[in-house]
Amino acid sequence: MTVTATSVGRPEQPAPPAAPSGARRMQRLVPAATAALSGVLLYVSFPPRTLWWLALPAFALFGWTLRDRSWKAGLGLGYLFGLGFLLPLLVWTGVEVGSGPWLALVVVEAIFVALVGAGIALVSRLPAWPVWAAAVWIAGEAARARAPFGGFPWGKVAFGQADGVFLPLAAVGGTPVLGFAVVLCGFGLYETVRVVVAHRRGDGGAPWRGAAVTALLSLVVPVLGALAARSLVSDKAENGTATVAVVQGNVPRAGLEFNAQRRAVLDYHARETIRLAEQVRAGKVPRPDLVLWPENSSDIDPFANPDAAAVIQGAADAIGVPLSVGAVVERGGKLYNEQILWDPDKGPVNTYDKRQVQPFGEYLPLRPLLGAINKDWTSMVRQDFSRGNKPGVFTMAGAKVGLVTCYEAAFDWAVRSTVTDGAQLLSVPSNNATFDRSEMTYQQLAMSRVRAVEHSRTVTVPVTSGVSAVILPDGTITQRTGMFVAASLVQKVPLRSSETPATRLGTLPELLLVLVAAGGLGRAAVSAVRRRADREIHAEQQRVTEAAR
C-alpha cells in the first residue's frame, strides 16, 4: 500500500487521490504567496508604524509554509519571504540613486533569508523545532551582519521591537536575544495552532503532548523573560546628570544636491546654535552643558579651511560650551567621516573617525568592475572614505559622550565598544538628507531606542534634517523634531556607567544561538540520512518479497 510521509504523532494514511493539474498548481502557489505576504507582514511591523506585534503572525505564517518541507522548497520560500520583507523595507536606498542599487541590495540580502528558509525547513521535523528554527534565523542575521563588504544588519528583527513588550530582553543579550525571543514566539504561535487543530481532529498521543508543551513554552517563556528583564531597565542617574543640546540645522533642500551647498549646511547649524544661545540668554531654555551637531554638519574641512573653522568657532563662542561637530576631513591624502570636539576656548581638541563606513555610500567595493559597467556609479563616490581604528568617547563638561556615527548604530560591536570604552551617554550623529522623507530616519531612530535599552544609556540623535531626538535609557523618546526643519532640543539627561548583561556578554549570546542552530542543522542532517537509508532498506525488502512471490 502506498503511504504518505508522516510527522511525529500523525498516523499513516492512504495517499489521497491525485488532484487535477490546475488544483496542484494552486496548491503550490498557496505556500509561495503566503511566504511573500508574511514577509510583507514583517515589514509592516517595523517603524514608523508601532505594529510590532505583527512580527508574531508573520513568523507563524512563515513557519506554516516551511514545516515538513524539503530544504529545496525552504530555499525558494525563504527567498520569497526575504523579498516580501526587504523590498519595501529598503526602498529608501533608491530614493536618490534610482531603483538599480535598491533592487541589487535586496536581491543579495534575500539570499541570506533563502538559506535560513532552507535551514528552518530541515529542522522543522525535529522535536522542539521552534527553538531550533528561531536559532537558525538568528544565525542568518549574524551572517548578514558580517558579509559581504562588512555586512548589512539593517532589518534585524530586534530593530522592529522598540515599542514592543520584548524590548527589555535587549538588556539581557542584545539584539540576538531580543530577535530570538520574537521569532521563537512567532513559531510557537503556529505550533500552538497546529497542536490545537490536530487535537480536535483526534490525532492525540504522547508525541502530541510533547508538541503541546513545546508550543506552550515557546509562547510563554519569551514573554516571561521579557517581564523579568524589566528590572534591568532604568533611567536613574548613576553619575549625575548633563544638560544636552541637540542641534538640527536642516539643509537647503533634500537630496544629494545638498553636497554642492556645503557652506549653507554649515551656516544653518551655526545659525541654529546661535539662536539657541540667544534663547538661553533670554531665559527661555536651560543653559546646556554640551552641544551635539549631526554627521556632515560641516562638509567643509575646518582644518584646511579657515573660514569654516571661523564659523564653528563663532557658534562655540556664542553658546559657550563644548561642541561636537560632524565634518568631512582630509588627512594624509585620505578622507575621514569625523566628529570633532570643539572647545570654545581651545578650539578642536579631539576627534573620532567613523569606523564602519558604508559600502557604495562612503566607499566603493569592486570599483574597477563597477566602473566598467557604468561610469556614473563610480562618479557618485569619487574618493573612498578611510576607516577609524578606535572608539570615540569625548569628555564634554565632565560627561563622557560616546560617538556612534549614523550607519554604525546598526552594528552591535560598534555601539558596545563605545560603551565599554567608558561612555556615560551616547550620541548617534546622522545625516539623512539624501533619503528625503522616507522611512529610513524612523528605522534608524528605532535602532537607537533598542541601543538605549541594550546598554542602559541615554541616546541623543542629532540629524541634519530630521528626525532628531533624545532617548532615555529605557528607550522612551522624550523629545523629537520634525523633518526638514531647523530646531534644537535641550534636556537634562541621566549619566550612567553600570553595564547590562548584554554589554558584559558581548557576542557570547549570539555565538551560543549560532551553535544551537548548527546543532539543530547537524541533527536534522543525520535524521535525513537515516530516513533515506530506512526508505532504501524498506524498498529493498519489498523487492525481495515480490521476487520471492
Side-chain angles (χ1 to χ4, degrees):
M1 179 177 68
T2 303
V3 297
T4 59
T6 61
S7 60
V8 176
R10 187 181 301 164
E12 295 185 355
Q13 300 291 337
S21 58
R24 286 199 298 271
R25 281 195 295 271
M26 289 300 297
Q27 289 174 355
R28 287 195 295 267
L29 285 175
V30 169
T34 302
L37 290 174
S38 58
V40 173
L41 196 62
L42 181 60
Y43 155 71
V44 176
S45 74
F46 271 64
R49 296 157 295 276
T50 57
L51 303 174
W52 58 270
W53 51 270
L54 284 178
L56 303 186
F59 280 102
L61 289 171
F62 191 39
W64 174 79
T65 65
L66 293 176
R67 193 174 189 280
D68 287 337
R69 301 276 180 183
S70 69
W71 70 267
K72 293 180 180 179
L75 195 70
L77 293 169
Y79 198 77
L80 290 172
F81 181 88
L83 291 179
F85 172 46
L86 296 172
L87 270 172
L89 185 80
L90 302 178
V91 67
W92 53 267
T93 60
V95 167
E96 287 296 329
V97 295
S99 60
W102 161 50
L103 295 175
L105 175 64
V106 171
V107 165
V108 172
E109 293 298 310
I111 293 173
F112 289 92
V113 187
L115 294 172
V116 167
I120 292 175
L122 283 173
V123 301
S124 68
R125 294 179 174 87
L126 298 178
W129 72 270
V131 178
W132 305 109
V136 169
W137 178 272
I138 298 304
E141 286 191 342
R144 196 159 66 86
R146 290 167 172 82
F149 311 126
F152 188 73
W154 214 281
K156 275 188 170 186
V157 168
F159 294 148
Q161 296 296 308
D163 291 293
V165 298
F166 299 101
L167 180 60
L169 288 170
V172 176
T175 59
V177 168
L178 174 54
F180 175 77
V182 175
V183 179
L184 175 61
C185 209
F187 288 147
L189 176 62
Y190 163 63
E191 184 71 352
T192 300
V193 173
R194 190 178 72 89
V195 169
V196 170
V197 171
H199 179 72
R200 289 184 176 179
R201 288 176 177 174
D203 297 337
W208 282 110
R209 286 194 292 273
V213 171
T214 295
L216 183 63
L217 292 178
S218 298
L219 276 176
V220 173
V221 170
V223 176
L224 292 179
L227 293 175
R230 288 173 65 89
S231 62
L232 299 173
V233 179
S234 173
D235 59 3
K236 181 181 178 181
E238 295 175 333
N239 306 102
T241 61
T243 300
V244 300
V246 173
V247 172
Q248 176 177 301
N250 202 10
V251 297
R253 62 175 181 265
L256 290 175
E257 295 83 359
F258 92 95
N259 285 314
Q261 306 173 60
R262 297 177 299 167
R263 178 57 186 266
V265 176
L266 172 58
D267 288 344
Y268 282 14
H269 285 83
R271 184 172 64 190
E272 180 60 26
T273 304
I274 294 170
R275 188 182 71 84
L276 173 62
E278 293 171 350
Q279 290 181 314
V280 170
R281 286 194 292 270
K284 295 180 180 179
V285 296
R287 180 181 180 84
D289 298 314
L290 55 102
V291 176
L292 304 170
W293 281 11
E295 176 190 36
N296 298 128
S297 45
S298 177
D299 275 344
I300 303 175
D301 184 351
F303 297 109
N305 296 272
D307 58 332
V311 171
I312 297 171
Q313 185 64 51
D317 288 340
I319 196 66
V321 299
L323 182 68
S324 179
V325 179
V328 174
V329 173
E330 185 171 356
R331 187 168 55 251
K334 297 180 179 180
L335 278 183
Y336 293 92
N337 186 335
E338 190 165 86
Q339 289 290 312
I340 305 171
L341 173 56
W342 204 285
D343 186 270
D345 298 323
K346 302 176 183 178
V349 294
N350 200 355
T351 60
Y352 166 64
D353 297 323
K354 187 176 181 180
R355 293 172 292 163
Q356 185 71 43
V357 295
Q358 182 181 354
F360 304 101
E362 293 172 306
Y363 80 99
L364 200 62
L366 310 175
R367 183 180 288 272
L369 175 62
L370 293 176
I373 298 173
N374 189 328
K375 292 183 179 179
D376 291 339
W377 292 351
T378 56
S379 65
M380 291 182 63
V381 185
R382 297 183 184 278
Q383 183 177 351
D384 293 343
F385 279 83
S386 296
R387 295 174 172 83
N389 55 21
K390 60 180 181 179
V393 179
F394 290 167
T395 300
M396 304 178 72
K400 294 183 178 180
V401 182
L403 285 306
V404 182
T405 305
C406 195
Y407 185 59
E408 292 181 321
F411 292 83
D412 295 347
W413 68 268
V415 184
R416 177 178 178 268
S417 65
T418 304
V419 176
T420 57
D421 204 48
Q424 297 170 318
L425 69 91
L426 298 174
S427 179
V428 184
S430 303
N431 171 28
N432 55 19
T434 301
F435 306 111
D436 202 6
R437 296 183 180 274
S438 70
E439 294 182 356
M440 179 269 184
T441 188
Y442 299 104
Q443 294 171 9
Q444 191 175 53
L445 186 60
M447 292 180 194
S448 297
R449 294 179 64 189
V450 172
R451 299 306 186 190
V453 174
E454 181 180 10
H455 299 292
S456 194
R457 295 292 188 272
T458 297
V459 178
T460 59
V461 186
V463 183
T464 51
S465 58
V467 175
S468 298
V470 177
I471 306 166
L472 292 182
D474 63 359
T476 302
I477 297 176
T478 55
Q479 293 191 64
R480 62 192 297 173
T481 69
M483 297 186 71
F484 292 99
V485 295
S488 55
L489 308 174
V490 180
Q491 183 172 331
K492 182 183 290 187
V493 300
L495 301 177
R496 293 177 59 84
S497 57
S498 63
E499 294 185 349
T500 64
T503 307
R504 291 193 296 270
L505 293 173
T507 59
L508 183 58
E510 183 179 58
L511 176 60
L512 291 176
L513 289 171
V514 170
L515 291 176
V516 170
L521 291 170
R523 183 177 176 184
V526 170
S527 297
V529 170
R530 288 176 177 173
R531 286 196 301 271
R532 183 178 301 173
D534 289 343
R535 286 196 299 269
E536 291 175 354
I537 292 172
H538 181 66
E540 180 63 26
Q541 289 175 341
Q542 284 187 325
R543 285 194 294 270
V544 171
T545 301
E546 291 174 359
R549 290 176 183 173

